[in-house]
Amino acid sequence: MQTIDKFNFAGKKAFVRVDFNVPLDENFNITDDTRMRAALPTLKKILADGGSIIIGSHLGRPKGVADKFSLKHIIKHLSELLGVEVQFANDCMGEEAAVKAAALQPGEVLLLENLRFYAEEEGKPRGLAEDATDEEKAAAKKAVKESQKEFTKKLASYADCYVNDAFGTAHRAHASTALIAKYFDTDNKMFGYLMEKEVKAVDKVLNDIKRPFTAIMGGSKVSSKIEIIENLLNKVDNLIIAGGMTYTFTKAQGGKIGISICEDDKLDLALDLIKKAKEKGVNLVLAVDAKIADAFSNDANTKFCPVNEIPDGWEGLDIGPKTEEIFANVIKGSKTILWNGPTGVFEFDNFTHGSRTVGEAIVEATKNGAFSLVGGGDSVACVNKFGLANGVSYVSTGGGALLEAIEGKILPGIAAIQE
């Protein structure tokens, strides 16, 4: 497989798939440019070599052309970050895009309009009537899959080589990630620096395990984490369950949880996961106490109580001090750590303490030689909020992609480069 470090981009046009899906305010100002900055090493390497760049990205989830999702809003800032005046093609499929791509000189950059303006990018039909028959749905799907081939072929025609630096979309079989790579031979397609780091970090945490291996899984729903938990039970020594999932596990074991979040239809599943952990010799670590509130609000009345004795009208919004100590001790004794999901409603300052304690324990373990991977939107927001990002081994930019990789799934955007 080709690597970006060894590739010389001199005189070549590179189609670079990035993740510039950045948040914008009502005046179209970028409120967080982390994703743009993450792609800079790859883009600057190509320019330094004497190559030119055609950038493809998504912004939001438009169902057609929409000004608020136009990538034109990021041109000025991207130009400043790169130190190059970025050109823009206002239709990724239009004649303008083809002409501008063909005319690109070494050191020049062309940003294509939002790829998602076209249904072919995702390969899913749009505009179907709500009462469409199965036959109509099948015909529409077939039609968009056919036109997707031409869409992909045209994107590929703009460039001599292909670089995928968008780990955040690697779990989607989109035209610009999984399909376009087929138009480039092995020597002319590669991961960008960010993607390369992501792939290595995930591989290390799943396949190059130094023990004890501890995973901390937060989040509100057991249902959204079943496959991940089941896959991790085959790999970890300790599995810490945190966040809203806590209360489903607590209720399943007969505990009183007040009005805490709970998936009542997943109580049997929680018991089954407890049983599986026991059978596999995994130390399943659950909360023993909680910080509870009488309303879902930062200003609510609060107190601590055993997690299985939450009074009626109260809900658990974070772990309590005894649980903090238990979690921290397990984490500090670990050599490989994966953190996905906070311990509570960390968006409210009064319920950040548990997540901060977990983050600080991970930083301490990392200082003592552990490899730590933090991933998933809320966990990343946590370490950034607490200023801990530099103290962990790796912070993943890919939410859904990271989770699917942890589930053991093959990610189409990665497979397309490795083939």
Side-chain angles (χ1 to χ4, degrees):
M1 190 180 81
Q2 183 60 263
T3 60
I4 188 169
D5 251 342
K6 292 180 180 170
F7 193 83
N8 188 351
F9 290 93
K12 290 187 182 289
K13 293 185 175 75
F15 185 100
V16 186
R17 179 63 169 86
V18 295
D19 183 7
F20 285 172
N21 197 356
V22 292
L24 302 170
D25 66 17
E26 64 278 6
N27 299 313
F28 303 111
N29 296 308
I30 297 163
T31 56
D32 182 354
D33 69 352
T34 305
R35 286 175 168 172
M36 294 175 75
R37 290 181 180 278
L40 291 180
T42 292
L43 300 175
K44 288 186 172 178
K45 148 77 174 166
I46 297 167
L47 296 177
D49 277 3
S52 55
I53 302 170
I54 298 119
I55 294 175
S57 181
H58 294 169
L59 181 62
R61 292 181 177 273
K63 295 300 177 195
V65 178
D67 184 72
K68 70 174 182 176
F69 293 123
S70 173
L71 282 166
K72 70 184 179 188
H73 303 304
I74 73 163
I75 298 170
K76 184 172 177 286
H77 190 59
L78 180 59
S79 298
E80 288 167 1
L81 291 174
L82 282 174
V84 172
E85 193 170 327
V86 175
Q87 301 173 43
F88 185 63
N90 60 23
D91 179 348
C92 65
M93 286 287 109
E95 188 183 346
E96 181 198 16
V99 169
K100 284 187 172 177
L104 275 182
Q105 297 299 306
E108 292 185 339
V109 181
L110 172 65
L111 173 65
L112 300 178
E113 182 55 286
N114 195 340
L115 301 173
R116 261 191 175 145
F117 281 179
Y118 282 84
E120 285 80 1
E121 165 64 357
E122 294 175 277
K124 294 175 184 172
R126 291 179 184 166
L128 272 173
E130 281 186 28
D131 59 352
T133 63
D134 287 346
E135 288 81 3
E136 286 169 334
K137 287 176 185 172
K141 189 173 182 182
K142 188 180 178 188
V144 81
K145 288 293 182 190
E146 274 306 309
S147 56
Q148 187 181 46
K149 290 174 188 171
E150 286 307 311
F151 177 87
T152 311
K153 189 176 180 181
K154 186 156 189 190
L155 285 180
S157 74
Y158 300 153
D160 305 306
C161 55
Y162 172 71
V163 182
N164 190 344
D165 212 21
F167 181 73
T169 58
H171 57 313
R172 306 274 183 237
H174 288 162
S176 65
T177 54
L179 306 184
I180 193 173
K182 294 179 173 67
Y183 289 90
F184 298 90
D185 62 35
T186 314
D187 293 334
N188 286 292
K189 60 182 175 182
M190 67 213 81
F191 297 135
Y193 287 120
L194 175 65
M195 186 83 154
E196 207 169 62
K197 284 195 294 188
E198 293 274 3
V199 172
K200 282 180 181 169
V202 171
D203 187 61
K204 189 172 176 67
V205 87
L206 291 181
N207 300 312
D208 181 22
I209 301 165
K210 303 283 185 291
R211 298 194 178 277
F213 177 14
T214 297
I216 305 114
M217 300 304 295
S220 57
K221 294 183 175 180
V222 183
S223 54
S224 63
K225 300 280 172 84
I226 298 166
E227 287 89 353
I228 301 165
I229 292 171
E230 292 197 327
N231 192 40
L232 286 172
L233 286 176
N234 295 316
K235 297 178 180 291
V236 300
D237 302 291
N238 307 297
L239 178 59
I240 294 173
I241 299 289
M245 289 193 287
T246 300
Y247 308 103
T248 301
F249 278 85
T250 302
K251 187 171 180 179
Q253 295 177 93
K256 283 182 63 187
I257 60 165
I259 55 168
S260 304
I261 187 171
C262 179
E263 288 182 286
D264 286 322
D265 60 336
K266 295 290 182 285
L267 300 179
D268 287 342
L269 173 66
L271 291 174
D272 187 47
L273 291 171
I274 292 169
K275 185 170 166 248
K276 278 184 181 170
K278 205 169 189 176
E279 287 167 356
K280 293 176 185 288
V282 173
N283 176 29
L284 187 67
V285 189
L286 297 166
V288 295
D289 60 347
K291 184 173 188 179
I292 62 173
D294 61 358
F296 188 78
S297 162
N298 188 53
D299 305 318
N301 294 309
T302 64
K303 58 185 178 181
F304 296 105
C305 77
V307 74
N308 57 357
E309 293 176 19
I310 299 173
D312 293 343
W314 290 71
E315 59 187 313
L317 295 185
D318 198 8
I319 55 174
K322 290 176 184 168
T323 303
E324 285 181 358
E325 192 178 342
I326 292 166
F327 285 7
N329 286 339
V330 171
I331 291 164
K332 288 174 190 174
S334 305
K335 288 296 174 198
T336 303
I337 302 161
L338 170 68
W339 185 21
N340 174 259
T343 66
V345 187
F346 79 102
E347 296 89 344
F348 295 156
D349 286 344
N350 283 333
F351 303 97
T352 57
H353 202 269
S355 298
R356 186 189 289 274
T357 301
V358 163
E360 287 171 349
I362 293 171
V363 168
E364 190 174 322
T366 308
K367 274 184 192 158
N368 292 329
F371 176 81
S372 53
L373 171 62
V374 177
D378 285 344
S379 309
V380 174
C382 266
V383 293
N384 287 334
K385 181 172 183 170
F386 306 142
L388 302 174
N390 292 333
V392 302
S393 305
Y394 194 74
V395 178
S396 174
T397 59
L402 176 72
L403 297 187
E404 290 201 13
I406 296 165
E407 281 176 34
K409 291 180 180 173
I410 292 168
L411 306 189
I414 292 173
I417 300 289
Q418 293 176 333
E419 282 170 355

